[in-house]
Amino acid sequence: VCPSAVVLIRRASAADAAAIAALYAPFVTESQATFEETAPDAAEIERRIAGTGIAYPWLIGEADGALLGYASSGGFRQRSAYRWAVETGVYVASHAQRRGIARALLAQLIEALTRAGFVTAIASISLPNAASAGLHEALGYRHTGTIRAPGYKLGEWVDIAYWQRDLAERKVPPAEPAA
């Protein structure tokens, strides 16, 4: 894809599952960016997109019909008191990195989550990952803590850190986020 190609950002659908699975696979098999160890196939990605429902959007960035990256969201933990918090993630194909695609995807995801009534967004980043930490900080996330070596992948123990961005004021009682 030409560096000057216009990137379209839109909501992901089931039709995007195979392309998302292909883009994500190298992050699973060749990096510590995710703690998944087996790359999910298209059917699993389709299930994940459908399982998050309307409240937790997945967005894709594409140019000339080719997927360049995606941003995902999902619930942060399972217990009901966490329902105002949302976890975010963003992945961009290696050939499309450093072009602002991750920033555009994550910024639009933040806007959608804010409109939906979530109060805070949380990103879990494996360390070291200066590019991801810098991206999140540029979009208002702040480092809130590091867990020392909770995961073992590709022959070494890996730290994870949490970055958090408030999306709305914490009101008492809080309004329910959009379903």
Side-chain angles (χ1 to χ4, degrees), residues 19-101:
I20 291 171
L23 185 147
Y24 183 56
F27 289 98
V28 174
T29 60
E30 301 167 15
S31 82
Q32 296 165 334
T34 173
F35 280 6
E36 283 197 77
E37 296 181 290
T38 302
D41 62 13
E44 173 59 17
I45 294 293
E46 184 175 349
R47 186 195 66 71
R48 291 178 187 184
I49 293 169
T52 59
I54 192 83
Y56 301 108
W58 283 46
L59 303 177
I60 66 162
E62 63 184 1
D64 300 323
L67 178 70
L68 301 178
Y70 74 95
S72 61
S73 64
F76 177 76
R77 310 244 176 154
Q78 297 300 313
R79 295 193 173 121
S80 64
Y82 288 114
R83 67 186 172 276
W84 292 274
V86 60
E87 190 162 4
T88 60
V90 62
Y91 294 90
V92 174
S94 60
H95 71 275
Q97 292 178 2
R98 316 261 341 136
R99 292 182 29 206
I101 296 166

